[in-house]
Amino acid sequence: MPDADSRPLAGRRLYFVGIGGAGLSAYANVALALGAEVRGWDLRETIFMETLAGIEVDLGGDPAPPDGWEAVVSTAHAHRVAGTRRGAFLAELVAAQPSIVVGGAHGKTTTAAMIAYVLRETGGDPSWIVGGVVPQLGGNAAAGSGWLVVEGDESDRSIGLLRPDIAVLTNIELDHHATYASETELRAFLDDWLEAVPNVVRSWELEPVSFELAVPGEHNRANAAAALAALELAGTRRASAEEALARFTGVDRRFQLVGEARGISVFDDYGHNPTELAVTLRTARERTGRKLIAVYQPHVHERTRQLAQELADALALADAAIVTDVVGARDAPRDGVDGKWVLDRLPASVRAGWAPTLDDAARLALAWADDGDVVVTLGVGEPWKAARAIVAGLGA
């Protein structure tokens, strides 16, 4: 924790609109540690509010920053109230201390968490802001006196506002069709951003690590290689970094075991685009010789419209797929675009289930699951609620 002389936000009153999101909950925690008074608003309770100890949160209705308070507004709620956009506030934090920014379509949360964990384990006293709860770090954000490790977001181009000392790019894949017309446009945007960064790590230029990790999957070997390259640039000895990294056990909602009962294992994962769904389901497939049941909550209408077939192809790695309606306030609903767009494209070999709500999905998964099966809930929103309901329904 910074001492009294290093609290650059002292005297500011910040009201975070969308404080229950993965990003703004982390920003709020760091702002509090850096001396600001902090409050916030969100539509409903979320899993990230469990990290907001000591912060008052208004739920429901419309956001109403008190007189004299600055609003910091998430992209999803920019239409609700005027204020500083999320990306501009993060740019302030990145400019205030030596920083490492991790971007990319997949793996940026885990890679950023790996870097922050190793820095802390090797005595670096880092600050970090990541888009997931990291049990070994005690949350999704903290303020220290060393390097600041953060995720950048290309979905709204706000990563382009950040000027770190070190940038890590895990991969490039068109995932935000409402922002970029093509992957070529996305690549050009990222290239322009990286021109202003003195030290750049591109994951695809590295060999995945060969030593044993506590987190499963070839994708995490690639994430670890990128993390190690960034840590070396930050001055951490590779041998010390590898030793610490081998102890890293992951981020919540990244193939997280929620519970087991009656011989059925239930996992939850943040994966929401085709590549992430496929990686997670392949990892899950290794856990069972019986049925693999996927429960997927599509996120944002434009992604669902553009990638319905690719999403269905990924879900086809399961034996059964249950799909809910689309969630996400980032774009407006489109006529006819719902979870059925994905479901209707599944091959006949996959048992398909339509469940408009997560409660419906949990009930259907419970009806379908048998001894030895694996159930995986997937998506950006709140599929973790379905995972918990399934475990509760199994009597765990």
Side-chain angles (χ1 to χ4, degrees), residues 45-236:
E45 189 172 350
T46 74
I47 196 169
F48 292 102
M49 289 180 186
E50 296 173 6
T51 72
L52 298 174
I55 296 176
E56 184 177 346
V57 177
D58 302 324
L59 288 177
D62 293 318
D67 290 343
W69 289 64
E70 304 172 54
V72 179
V73 187
S74 75
T75 302
H77 299 295
H79 62 289
R80 296 180 184 276
V81 65
T84 301
R85 296 293 288 268
R86 172 190 60 78
F89 181 74
L90 181 59
E92 284 187 52
L93 298 179
V94 168
Q97 64 191 104
S99 299
I100 302 169
V101 171
V102 183
H106 324 292
K108 55 181 174 283
T109 296
T110 296
T111 303
M114 286 175 167
I115 295 168
Y117 174 74
V118 171
L119 286 171
R120 196 195 66 173
E121 290 295 287
T122 56
D125 191 28
S127 301
W128 67 85
I129 299 173
V130 298
V133 176
V134 188
Q136 288 172 301
L137 292 176
N140 61 345
S145 60
W147 286 90
L148 169 64
V149 185
V150 305
E151 290 183 51
D153 187 359
E154 78 276 10
S155 71
D156 59 358
R157 299 180 183 263
S158 61
I159 196 171
L161 302 174
L162 310 183
R163 294 293 178 263
D165 300 271
I166 301 169
V168 179
L169 204 56
T170 57
N171 39 61
I172 299 175
E173 182 176 307
L174 183 60
D175 187 33
H176 302 287
H177 296 80
T179 304
Y180 306 96
S182 66
E183 187 171 301
T184 299
E185 182 183 350
L186 170 61
R187 287 182 180 275
F189 167 74
L190 292 171
D191 285 343
D192 288 345
W193 170 58
L194 292 175
E195 282 183 3
V197 180
N199 300 287
V200 177
V201 174
R202 295 174 176 86
S203 180
W204 58 89
E205 297 176 349
L206 307 171
E207 288 295 322
V209 302
S210 57
F211 60 90
E212 185 174 351
L213 298 172
V215 287
E218 187 66 16
H219 60 295
N220 278 321
R221 296 189 178 280
N223 293 337
L228 286 173
L231 287 159
E232 286 190 283
L233 288 170
T236 304

Side-chain angles (χ1 to χ4, degrees), residues 18 37 52 56 66 111 129 133 146 156 268 288 316 335 345 360 366 372 377:
E37 290 185 65
L52 298 174
E56 184 177 346
T111 303
I129 299 173
V133 176
D156 59 358
D268 179 52
T288 183
D335 288 344
R345 288 164 173 79
D360 297 329
L366 282 166
T377 59

Side-chain angles (χ1 to χ4, degrees), residues 267-283:
F267 293 85
D268 179 52
D269 192 88
Y270 188 79
H272 53 280
N273 59 40
T275 298
E276 293 167 351
L277 297 185
V279 166
T280 299
L281 292 174
R282 287 192 186 101
T283 302

Side-chain angles (χ1 to χ4, degrees), residues 264 293 295 322 360-370 375 386 390 394:
I264 298 166
I293 302 171
V295 177
I322 299 167
D360 297 329
R363 285 191 290 268
L364 191 53
L366 282 166
W368 286 4
D370 297 307
V375 180
I390 293 165
L394 292 170

